[in-house]
Amino acid sequence: PLDDECDCYTCRNFSRGYIRHLLRSGEITGGRLVSIHNLRFLLHLMEQIREAIKEDNEWALVVDALNESLHEDATKARNSQG
């Protein structure tokens, strides 16, 4: 999966290597699968923001969580490229 903690269709059904193969070979399916994952990431982020608003939490906590998540994703991407 692209992200072990993600519950999207892409992460539940396809390996990172297969998705990379699709993207590198120019297959449209690769772009679609990555888009599904990215949309789920954004939806999950919005869920967290809504929850923070309901609980009247500090926005800084949400921003920190987003930055941490993006940093982890970037690190995973760099490590997977060799």
Side-chain angles (χ1 to χ4, degrees):
L2 296 175
D3 182 351
D4 293 330
E5 297 177 11
C6 183
D7 63 350
C8 76
Y9 174 80
T10 299
C11 290
R12 285 183 288 127
N13 293 291
F14 299 96
S15 71
R16 179 184 293 260
Y18 179 64
I19 294 168
R20 180 178 175 170
H21 159 73
L22 292 173
L23 292 171
R24 291 183 59 85
S25 63
E27 292 286 336
I28 292 173
T29 305
R32 288 185 181 188
L33 291 174
V34 172
S35 293
I36 290 169
H37 172 74
N38 290 340
L39 288 170
R40 177 61 189 128
F41 173 83
L42 291 173
L43 288 171
H44 181 68
L45 175 63
M46 292 306 299
E47 289 168 4
Q48 291 175 322
I49 291 171
R50 283 189 203 101
E51 197 62 35
I53 291 169
K54 283 181 190 176
E55 295 174 2
D56 200 27
N57 286 344
E58 299 280 332
W59 274 100
L61 297 175
V62 175
V63 171
D64 287 344
L66 174 60
N67 285 333
E68 181 181 322
S69 179
L70 292 174
H71 175 72
E72 288 174 7
D73 288 347
T75 301
K76 284 180 187 178
R78 279 193 301 268
N79 291 339
S80 70
Q81 292 177 354

